[in-house]
Amino acid sequence: MRKILNVYLARTNTPYSEAYADLDLPASPYELLDALDKLRLDEGEAPYLQINEYYDFEDLAPLLSGNAGLYELNALAQKLSELDELQQVSFKGLVQMEVNKKQGLIPISRLIDLAYSTDCCHVADALNDAQLGRFYAKNGFVPEVEQLPDKVFELLDFEKIGREARIGEGGVFTEKGYVVQHTELNEAFFALDLTPNQPDYQILLESEDGSMLKLPQAKLPNTTLCRCLDCRIPQLMGSIEASGSIAAVNEFAGRLSGMTDREMLRYKAVLAATKCNSLQSSVALLDNLDHYMLDAKISSPEDAALSELNFIDGDNDMERLQQYVNLPVYGRDLLERDNAVITPYGRMDRDDSQPMTATFQKPAQGGMEML
């Protein structure tokens, strides 16, 4: 999927919030849901959003309304990523027509309508009035000059013909051609369902023959894994592709399908805390998931310090104690003491207080047995 832009999301409008997500748009359904897991928003709370970078369609930067929401922006990026080269020229022309009508920002709903209206335009191979006039005169758009001999035809004021046509039609020039609208624009925005919903798969693959596979499946086709398009755990998409085995991925998807959202959140935090980078290791961590504990309320060393102080002295002394404690340093010391890790989903601990990547042990006859 071609990415259009990158956004920074945070739980509050305070820059550099510890509960944040960095997301390329368009995002897949699970990538979008994963970003919300990282933000840990309260019910009804909207995330702070800042556009960091445009990978394409940079000319939108000064036009996008500042109140563009995440879901609306993702819908726009999704449609833009699907446009072919000619449709991109049409979209840019429609945007320029909108700019010519009024100065300033363009509502995201209008931009989405424009992205869905590229079939409402004609594109001509002309970059200025003279080229447009010649194109129109040569292709039968100016009936008065159709029967002129070639020598007389070349004496025409093509620039004037093109200028009058452009003004009359309300067309515009882009860097790749002339765009003119020929039918009413599509009103697509209000028909879109922008609510992020959990897909009907755990993992979505593209096979070698180009077909899409929604996993888990009871019976796999005889094909080879090509790409991972989406996964309930987005951070594993690269590991899934590297595994090369559809059968192994399908078995893993079956295990994911039996997990609750709460278990999944803890599992994603474990994978982040251990920096897991292979499907085999991911399965091993899943087998030991019950040994890990996630505190989603703690997003930084400062949070860890405040939580500890509250546990020791209660709410009554918290404000007084904060004046005398270097919270970041104290928090980092607590995390180091407990072998805990701050992940994008919160604080992660092990029930044996061992380092995250230490091998688990279990009692056995005659001593300890390594798992």
Side-chain angles (χ1 to χ4, degrees):
M1 186 186 302
R2 180 164 132 250
K3 301 299 184 181
I4 302 299
L5 51 87
N6 173 271
V7 296
Y8 166 82
L9 304 167
R11 183 173 181 177
T12 68
N13 60 4
T14 303
Y16 313 111
S17 167
E18 297 292 348
Y20 72 94
D22 190 78
L23 190 62
D24 285 339
L25 301 182
S28 69
Y30 277 128
E31 286 175 330
L32 198 58
L33 292 170
D34 182 62
L36 297 178
D37 281 344
K38 292 175 180 177
L39 297 181
R40 288 158 269 168
L41 300 172
D42 293 329
E43 186 175 355
E45 183 181 5
Y48 166 78
L49 184 151
Q50 174 182 303
I51 299 176
N52 284 334
E53 182 179 2
Y54 286 85
Y55 305 130
D56 204 346
F57 297 94
E58 296 88 347
D59 45 348
L60 288 179
L63 304 175
L64 266 172
S65 175
N67 61 357
L70 172 60
Y71 308 143
E72 292 84 358
L73 199 56
N74 192 57
L76 174 62
Q78 178 66 53
K79 187 59 182 177
L80 293 180
S81 72
E82 299 169 358
L83 301 182
D84 61 28
E85 187 172 353
L86 188 61
Q87 290 170 330
Q88 291 177 45
V89 176
S90 294
F91 172 73
K92 292 181 178 181
L94 287 172
V95 170
Q96 186 59 50
M97 293 177 205
E98 197 72 15
V99 171
N100 291 346
K101 293 176 186 176
K102 61 176 183 178
Q103 299 295 323
L105 303 176
I106 301 176
I108 187 73
S109 57
R110 184 62 172 176
L111 287 171
I112 290 175
D113 284 344
L114 298 181
Y116 276 86
S117 298
T118 56
D119 59 345
C120 300
C121 298
H122 288 309
V123 178
D125 186 16
L127 301 179
N128 53 50
D129 286 334
Q131 292 179 5
L132 180 64
R134 177 177 288 275
F135 176 84
Y136 271 22
K138 191 174 182 179
N139 289 278
F141 294 98
V142 188
E144 296 84 353
V145 302
E146 285 187 15
Q147 304 302 322
L148 291 178
D150 290 345
K151 288 185 178 181
V152 178
F153 181 85
E154 291 299 329
L155 297 176
L156 295 174
D157 187 345
F158 294 115
E159 184 174 359
K160 180 180 179 182
I161 293 172
R163 182 172 61 254
E164 290 180 351
R166 173 177 55 81
I167 294 173
E169 297 172 337
V172 296
F173 291 111
T174 73
E175 72 276 10
K176 292 188 177 180
Y178 174 74
V179 180
V180 60
Q181 181 182 337
H182 62 77
T183 59
E184 292 296 320
L185 299 180
N186 298 318
E187 296 183 359
F189 175 75
F190 291 107
L192 297 177
D193 181 7
L194 301 177
T195 306
N197 296 308
Q198 185 160 316
D200 60 350
Y201 55 81
Q202 301 295 308
I203 298 173
L204 180 64
L205 300 181
E206 181 183 24
S207 64
E208 192 174 38
D209 61 9
S211 60
M212 304 298 166
L213 295 178
K214 295 181 178 182
L215 303 182
Q217 286 190 17
K219 186 177 181 180
L220 291 173
N222 184 20
T223 185
T224 304
L225 187 160
C226 178
R227 284 195 304 158
C228 181
L229 302 178
D230 198 13
C231 178
R232 193 173 175 189
I233 309 173
Q235 65 214 71
L236 288 182
M237 291 173 65
S239 300
I240 287 172
E241 287 186 9
S243 73
S245 170
I246 288 184
V249 174
N250 190 53
E251 182 179 352
F252 182 60
R255 297 193 63 178
L256 297 184
S257 65
M259 298 178 66
T260 65
D261 290 341
R262 188 171 182 178
E263 290 171 330
M264 180 56 62
L265 187 61
R266 181 152 47 102
Y267 186 38
K268 290 194 293 186
V270 170
L271 293 169
T274 58
K275 297 180 172 61
C276 184
N277 58 6
S278 75
L279 186 60
Q280 184 178 6
S281 299
S282 301
V283 173
L285 288 170
L286 184 55
D287 292 334
N288 292 292
L289 186 59
D290 289 341
H291 293 288
Y292 293 91
M293 301 170 292
L294 174 67
D295 188 340
K297 295 180 180 179
I298 296 180
S299 301
S300 65
E302 291 91 332
D303 289 343
L306 290 171
S307 178
E308 183 78 2
L309 291 175
N310 183 58
F311 176 76
I312 295 172
D313 290 307
D315 290 332
N316 293 333
D317 293 328
M318 281 287 290
E319 189 172 337
R320 178 178 58 83
L321 285 173
Q322 288 181 52
Q323 303 177 55
Y324 306 104
V325 177
N326 187 323
L327 295 178
V329 173
Y330 182 42
R332 286 193 291 269
D333 184 65
L334 292 172
L335 295 171
E336 184 177 355
R337 180 198 69 186
D338 298 333
N339 285 311
V341 175
I342 298 296
T343 77
Y345 310 94
R347 171 175 171 161
M348 176 57 60
D349 291 79
R350 281 177 43 154
D351 59 5
D352 59 2
S353 297
Q354 293 300 306
M356 288 294 152
T357 56
T359 304
F360 281 98
Q361 296 178 325
K362 67 178 181 180
Q365 290 184 353
M368 303 295 289
E369 179 183 348
M370 302 299 288
L371 285 177

